[in-house]
Amino acid sequence: MGILGTIVVGLVVGALARWLMPGEQKMGWILTILLGIGGSLLAGFAGQAMGWYAPGQGAGWIASVVGAIVLLFVVQKLRAGK
């Protein structure tokens, strides 16, 4: 897909996760992109561990958004613990 495609997918997935997650998330474009990419990676690793995806197969859109929401939840809990 290439780096540009990864950035675009990360932006879309991260923006959807931020939109679906209740509350305000204070992060800019770059952190939103990293959130989406991280959510996709998390969903891919978890899916491979559960046998949903073959090795090397990427996660789908819904799983990526769910992974990003999980990451966003963890980040909010870590920020609240300060």
Side-chain angles (χ1 to χ4, degrees), residues 2-79:
I3 192 84
L4 188 59
T6 303
I7 290 171
V8 170
V9 169
L11 177 62
V12 171
V13 168
L16 281 172
R18 287 183 61 196
W19 181 68
L20 290 172
M21 185 80 172
E24 182 181 355
Q25 300 86 29
K26 297 184 183 206
M27 57 177 60
W29 289 96
I30 294 174
L31 286 178
T32 301
I33 292 169
L34 292 176
L35 171 70
I37 293 171
S40 295
L41 289 173
L42 176 66
F45 289 136
Q48 286 178 14
M50 290 188 247
W52 295 344
Y53 302 120
Q57 182 181 5
W61 284 93
I62 295 172
S64 296
V65 171
V66 170
I69 289 173
V70 168
L71 283 179
L72 193 54
F73 179 78
V74 169
V75 168
Q76 283 182 341
K77 291 298 177 186
L78 290 175
R79 283 186 179 173

